[in-house]
Each structure stands twice: as structure tokens, then as C-alpha cells.
Amino acid sequence: MLRSRIRLTAALAVAALVLAACGGSDDNSGGSSSAASPSEIKVFAAASLTAAFTKLGEDYSAANGGTKVTFNFAGSQALATQIQQAAPADVFASADITNMDKVKDLVNTPQNFASNLLAIVVEKGNPKDVKGLEDLANPDLKVVLAAEEVPAGKYAKQVLDDAGVSVTPVSQEDNVKAVVTKVSLGEADAGIVYVTDVSAGGDTIEGVDIPEEQNVVATYPIATVKTSKAPDKAQSFMDLVLSAEGQQVLKEYWFLPPPTT
């Protein structure tokens, strides 16, 4: 009788181990299902969108069960190259149409969601008394620009060329935020950035307006990336940007509506 009880106890223990193993297998299966439906999306966005998109990311997470939005902010040309090289991205928001066109085979149909204008950025108080584009030709003035392959640099070259102003920059940066940083640190006297960068730049800088007739309109398109592992979430983030709520956030950060034509 004692031996029978021992054998029964052993059998029950083995059965319990088998059930536990099966339970562990179910948990692992559940983990795989969760991995197939990521709770994170990666948004590649132009550097000038940093403040506005950070706010939109917070709004998106709050409305979507805490889904994390990870941003890669950089020059649009750098982001386009990364997408071409298969960097994992779910959404791409560019500061110009040219760089979106570079990845047109890798993204779904883009939509324009905002526009922007240029301004001259100077140190707080404008100690060099910069009044307009013509003053940037002063050889005693240290001017920093974004590189010409960067949208902000391309637009800056356009307005300077159209105004007949020749500028030799002390440096050319790979994104527009770096231009703001150089001026805010006193490493340059002036630069050309977006109006939105001036508004987001803090109390160490200020802006000098570029008249409308000398300015250019920067158009911002957004698209979901075809290789996204979370296409529904990517589309819902894009929908937020295009929605009335998203447009209001962009307006609060000094972005203009997208061109109507």
C-alpha cells in the first residue's frame, strides 16, 4: 500500500510538472503574439518638428493605451538616407518634398500637413543690429547656415540668391537645430532657420523677420513606411497629425497650414 501511494505521488508530481511546462509554453506563445503587434512606433521627423511632434507623441500615447512613440529627429536628407538603407521606421515626416520623393518607392502615399517660413536668428538683444538679409553679407558678421543638402540650407540659399546677397558661412550644419545652437552659444552672430525654430529656441535667441516677398514657403509631407511592423499604429499617428487636433498643436508651435495648391 505504501509503495502504491509513493507511485501515485510521483505520478501526480510528474503531471504537475507537465502542466506547468504547458502553461509556460502558453505564456511564450502569448509573448510572441505581443511581439507581432508592437506597442511602439518609430517616427523619423525633420529636426524642425522636434517640439511639435514631441507634444503630438505624448497626445498619441495618451489616446492609444500608452503606445510608445520613439522619435528620430534629424535633417530630412539624413532620414531619407536611413530609410533607403532599411533603418526601421514606421512614419517619415520631411521638411521638404524633395527628400520625400527620394523614398517614394518605400513609403505609402504622402500627404502635406504643414508649411513653414524662414527667419534670421540672432542672439537675444540682437547685439549686431541685424535688420535683414543684406546685413548677412557683412564680412565681420559670423553667419552659420544649414548645409545646402538640408532643406533649411536649400531654402536659405534660395532666399539669399533671390535677394542677391552673398554670404560665406563660418560653418554649415547638418540640421537646422544645430544652426540655432551655434547662435545661442555665441559661436555665430546670425543664421537662417525656420520661424518655428526661433519660437522654440528659448530666451537666448530672437528672430528677425524676412519679408514675405523675400521669403519661401517650406512644405512638409508625411507618409507611413511600407515596411512598418505596426502599419495600423503608424497610420493612426499620421491621422493624428492631419486631424484638427494635430493641426492645432502644430499651429501652437508656429507652423502654418499646408499649401492649398
Side-chain angles (χ1 to χ4, degrees), residues 220-234:
Y220 287 62
I222 187 171
T224 57
V225 180
K226 291 180 178 179
T227 56
S228 170
K229 298 187 186 310
D232 292 342
K233 291 182 172 70

Side-chain angles (χ1 to χ4, degrees), residues 31-64:
S32 296
S33 173
S34 174
S37 179
S39 58
E40 177 184 8
I41 57 171
K42 295 181 175 65
V43 176
F44 284 32
S48 53
L49 291 164
T50 299
F53 264 38
T54 297
K55 176 63 168 66
L56 285 170
E58 293 170 355
D59 293 347
Y60 178 86
S61 295
N64 289 272

Side-chain angles (χ1 to χ4, degrees), residues 194-210:
Y194 298 113
V195 169
T196 53
D197 294 305
V198 174
S199 69
D203 58 6
T204 60
I205 61 164
E206 62 182 71
V208 176
D209 290 339
I210 297 175

Side-chain angles (χ1 to χ4, degrees), residues 102-113:
K102 290 178 182 177
V103 296
K104 61 183 178 181
D105 295 332
L106 304 174
V107 299
N108 297 303
T109 305
Q111 293 189 54
N112 297 334
F113 68 93

